[in-house]
């Protein structure tokens, strides 16, 4: 157990996060079980699109900006600052990324997009840390300010250029994609065979190595990078101490203001990177409203992941997958997911009964039965349901995971320098 005096030791190797968490072998078994159940549903329904290579590749692309926004929220909240302004920082990232990208190239656009989001983070830190304004109020204000600022700047920057308008930037050059030769084709062929489980695993792996942007690789690398910095360095220990007990951290010589500022600026930069991804990779141009609430969904992914990078990545993948259903054969695939949801609810009911939570088990079984009846009584779902699926899944996942959540103790709490004296 780390002692309080360790906070001032630059060579300290902080202890790993403690608490009851799922081990890697158990996590792999859970993922394998979920894939097996999905495979059963695919065979029963004939909805081969739910696990094909194209579906998984699209899901990965949609998960990246959500994951980057969630990482931004993780950095801020681990330092004790609630960042509802992620959506606005993503909007700044889309505009700045496209503005610089079409003039000086896509990689410059990525860098300037990060800076744009970081400016939003700096503003949020100034208002919340220095002036102690309510974090939620500040975040909402930044969202409104970013939307208004980009609407004002877009006509000035983009009109008069080829392909540009008041609501859209000129196209930005591609960052490039890579595909693992040979292996990608082999996995695609294996996925097309429709075998139980094996083809579904091939579809998942094929989506990870087929037409993947270089920026996607950077985003994926930021997941373990964030974990290592926050849980394996003295810098990360000090930053997290500001989110757990800033008064105690200050008493041990930690400059709480500095770490909160750094965390929120990094948070904005990551959200800005997610916005630049949307404007350069997902679409090769800025388009008004293209974030579509992904900053909020990223915040939900962070909460689902229990303020941990690994859980956040799983949450972002889940939300990206459900969002991809809206783009690729949505009605058929979402209808198949009704059966998958019903089976998961029934399994959950059995698990709750095993743990002697009979009331929760009965409610879960009732909901599962209703979802199963919906599946059996229809051949397709309305387009409105397809469009709403990512947001419904967000609410359901948060509701189901709420019992196991543990946020940083001082998250969102006001702090003044010297208040512990």
């Amino acid at each position: 157990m780390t002692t309080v005096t360790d906070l001032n030791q630059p060579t300290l190797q902080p202890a790993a996060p403690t608490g009851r968490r799922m081990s890697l072998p158990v996590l792999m078994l859970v993922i394998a079980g979920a894939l097996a159940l999905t495979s059963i549903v695919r065979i029963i329904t004939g909805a081969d699109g739910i696990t094909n290579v194209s579906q998984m590749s699209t899901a990965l692309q949609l998960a990246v900006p959500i994951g980057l926004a969630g990482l931004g929220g993780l950095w801020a909240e681990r330092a004790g600052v609630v960042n509802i302004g992620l959506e606005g920082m993503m909007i700044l990232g889309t505009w700045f990324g496209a503005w610089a990208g079409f003039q000086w190239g896509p990689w410059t656009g990525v860098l300037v997009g990060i800076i744009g989001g970081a400016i939003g983070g700096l503003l949020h830190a100034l208002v919340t840390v220095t002036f102690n304004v309510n974090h939620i109020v500040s975040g909402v204000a930044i969202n409104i300010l970013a939307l208004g600022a980009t609407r004002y700047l877009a006509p000035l920057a983009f009109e008069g250029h080829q392909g540009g308008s008041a609501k859209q930037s000129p196209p930005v050059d591609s960052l490039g994609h890579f595909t693992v030769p040979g292996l990608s084709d082999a996995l695609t062929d294996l996925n097309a065979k429709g075998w139980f489980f094996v083809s579904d695993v091939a579809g998942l792996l094929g989506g990870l190595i087929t037409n993947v942007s270089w920026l996607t690789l950077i985003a994926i690398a930021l997941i373990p990078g964030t974990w290592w910095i926050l849980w394996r360095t003295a810098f990360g220990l000090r930053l997290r101490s500001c989110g757990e007990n800033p008064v105690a951290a200050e008493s041990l010589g930690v400059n709480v203001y500095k770490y909160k500022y750094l965390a929120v600026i990094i948070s904005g930069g990551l959200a800005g990177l997610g916005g630049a991804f949307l404007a350069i990779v997902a679409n090769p141009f800025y388009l008004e409203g293209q974030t579509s609430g992904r900053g909020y969904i990223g915040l939900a992914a962070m909460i689902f992941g229990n303020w941990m990078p690994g859980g956040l990545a799983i949450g972002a993948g889940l939300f990206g997958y459900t969002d991809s259903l809206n783009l690729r054969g949505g009605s058929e695939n979402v209808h198949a997911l009704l059966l998958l949801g019903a089976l998961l609810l029934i399994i959950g009911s059995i698990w709750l009964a095993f743990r002697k939570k009979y009331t929760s088990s009965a409610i879960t079984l009732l909901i599962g039965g209703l979802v199963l009846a919906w599946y059996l009584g229809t051949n397709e779902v309305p387009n409105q349901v397809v469009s709403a699926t990512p947001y419904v899944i967000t609410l359901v996942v948060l509701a189901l995971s709420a019992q196991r959540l543990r946020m940083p103790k001082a998250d969102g709490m006001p702090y003044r320098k010297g208040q512990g004296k």
Side-chain angles (χ1 to χ4, degrees):
M1 181 175 180
T2 305
T3 61
V4 292
T5 55
D6 286 335
L7 284 169
N8 290 318
Q9 300 300 319
T11 59
L12 172 68
Q13 293 297 320
T18 57
R20 185 179 179 181
R21 290 193 174 90
M22 193 178 295
S23 64
L24 182 60
V26 174
L27 177 61
M28 297 303 293
L29 285 174
V30 171
I31 294 174
L35 271 176
L37 190 61
T38 303
S39 184
I40 293 172
V41 169
R42 174 183 59 80
I43 293 172
I44 293 173
T45 62
D48 294 332
I50 62 176
T51 58
N52 65 24
V53 172
S54 297
Q55 182 77 55
M56 295 303 180
S57 181
T58 303
L60 176 63
Q61 181 171 288
L62 292 170
V64 167
I66 294 172
L68 288 170
L71 269 184
L74 175 67
W75 273 85
E77 299 209 9
R78 278 294 175 181
V81 179
V82 176
N83 193 356
I84 296 293
L86 290 169
E87 178 77 6
M89 295 167 198
M90 285 191 79
I91 292 172
L92 292 173
T94 61
W95 190 90
F96 279 97
W99 171 71
F102 88 87
Q103 297 184 87
W104 303 301
W107 286 109
T108 302
V110 170
L111 178 60
V112 176
I114 293 172
I115 294 172
I119 290 172
L122 176 61
L123 178 60
H124 188 50
L126 177 67
V127 172
T128 57
V129 178
T130 301
F131 295 105
N132 246 350
V133 173
N134 182 277
H135 299 191
I136 305 298
V137 173
S138 173
V140 172
I142 287 174
N143 291 338
I144 297 171
L145 181 62
L147 183 60
T150 52
R151 281 181 175 175
Y152 172 76
L153 292 172
L156 300 177
F158 302 142
E159 283 186 339
H161 295 277
Q162 185 176 2
S165 68
K167 294 187 178 182
Q168 180 177 318
S169 73
V172 181
D173 293 337
S174 173
L175 290 170
H177 296 77
F178 84 95
T179 297
V180 179
L183 182 58
S184 175
D185 293 335
L187 289 172
T188 300
D189 292 340
L190 185 59
N191 176 246
K193 295 183 182 297
W195 294 341
F196 170 72
F197 189 70
V198 175
S199 292
D200 302 284
V201 173
L204 175 61
L205 296 178
L208 299 177
I209 61 172
T210 304
N211 292 326
V212 179
S213 168
W214 295 107
L215 191 54
T216 299
L217 292 182
I218 294 174
I220 292 173
L222 286 172
I223 300 290
T226 291
W227 175 83
W228 184 82
I229 291 172
L230 292 183
W231 277 273
R232 283 293 183 269
T233 67
F235 170 83
L237 177 60
R238 295 187 185 106
L239 187 147
R240 288 186 291 113
S241 73
C242 297
E244 296 292 341
N245 193 332
V247 174
E250 182 190 355
S251 70
L252 295 167
V254 175
N255 188 334
V256 176
Y257 277 17
K258 181 183 80 171
Y259 281 93
K260 284 180 179 287
Y261 262 88
L262 286 173
V264 181
I265 291 171
I266 293 171
S267 172
L270 288 168
L273 178 59
F277 184 94
L278 289 173
I280 297 174
V281 177
N283 296 298
F285 48 81
Y286 162 82
L287 186 65
E288 185 179 303
Q290 71 188 131
T291 56
S292 299
R294 286 181 175 86
Y296 300 112
I297 297 178
L299 198 62
M302 179 205 67
I303 296 171
F304 166 78
N306 208 8
W307 287 266
M308 294 293 294
L312 182 156
I314 295 174
L318 173 62
F319 298 140
Y321 176 75
T322 56
D323 200 10
S324 70
L325 297 176
N326 192 23
L327 299 179
R328 307 183 62 87
S331 180
E332 177 187 359
N333 292 338
V334 172
H335 186 254
L337 284 188
L338 290 177
L339 178 59
L340 178 61
L343 294 176
L344 288 173
L345 286 168
I346 292 170
I347 292 172
S349 174
I350 295 172
W351 172 248
L352 289 170
F354 177 77
R355 298 184 64 186
K356 298 182 180 181
K357 297 181 178 181
Y358 300 116
T359 301
S360 299
S361 174
I363 294 172
T364 305
L365 182 62
L366 175 62
I367 297 173
L370 291 174
V371 174
L372 181 61
W374 185 6
Y375 168 77
L376 295 174
T378 58
N379 293 321
E380 61 180 17
V381 294
N383 290 332
Q384 294 86 347
V385 174
V386 176
S387 301
T389 297
Y391 308 101
V392 172
I393 293 295
T394 301
L395 293 174
V396 171
V397 167
L398 287 179
L400 294 176
S401 62
Q403 298 301 316
R404 64 175 183 82
L405 300 179
R406 191 272 186 194
M407 66 189 298
K409 290 182 180 179
D411 193 15
M413 295 177 60
Y415 165 79
R416 285 288 188 190
K417 187 175 181 179
Q419 72 180 39
K421 295 181 180 179

